[in-house]
């Protein structure tokens, strides 16, 4: 009484087999093509060896007198302080609720 439900999807084993077969076919085709057409051996011998350039040298020198003349030697800091509370007038003191 068991029925197989085939909803159109492949099983995991079939997917693995198809992927492995495809990989083998592509690999064999690449190997065969590289052997037939030389595999790029001529391109490697035609290129000269890569020459590495020396790293650039960066000299950073500053003159203190130039910085002070331009105003770059000092930095200005602005510090804000909270304002002092205003003194209460008698009228404001009477309007407040008493603190018990």
């Amino acid at each position: 009484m068991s029925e197989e439900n085939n909803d159109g999807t492949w099983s995991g084993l079939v997917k693995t087999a198809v992927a492995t077969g495809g990989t083998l076919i592509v690999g064999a085709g690449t190997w065969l093509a590289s052997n037939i057409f030389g595999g790029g051996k001529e391109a490697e011998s035609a290129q000269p060896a890569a020459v590495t350039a020396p790293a650039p040298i960066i000299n950073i020198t500053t003159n203190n007198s130039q910085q002070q003349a331009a105003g770059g030697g000092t930095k200005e800091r602005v510090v804000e302080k909270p304002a002092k509370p205003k003194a209460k007038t008698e009228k404001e003191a009477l309007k407040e609720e008493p603190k018990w």
Side-chain angles (χ1 to χ4, degrees):
M1 293 280 297
S2 66
E3 294 181 18
E4 287 189 31
N5 292 331
N6 187 359
D7 58 352
T9 60
W10 292 3
S11 70
L13 184 60
V14 173
K15 289 179 189 178
T16 303
V18 170
T20 304
T23 303
L24 290 175
I25 291 171
V26 170
T30 304
W31 178 80
L32 185 64
S34 65
N35 283 336
I36 289 174
F37 298 115
K41 293 179 184 175
E42 295 82 17
E44 289 179 14
S45 62
Q47 293 178 351
V51 178
T52 58
I57 299 172
I58 301 172
N59 291 328
I60 300 175
T61 56
T62 57
N63 190 351
N64 230 3
S65 62
Q66 289 177 346
Q67 284 184 348
Q68 290 176 356
T74 60
K75 292 185 180 181
E76 184 177 334
R77 283 184 61 188
V78 178
V79 179
E80 295 184 17
K81 295 181 180 177
K84 294 180 182 177
K86 293 190 297 181
K88 294 183 181 179
T89 61
E90 289 181 32
K91 191 175 184 180
E92 290 175 344
L94 291 175
K95 285 185 179 178
E96 284 185 5
E97 293 182 17
K99 297 178 183 177
W100 298 90

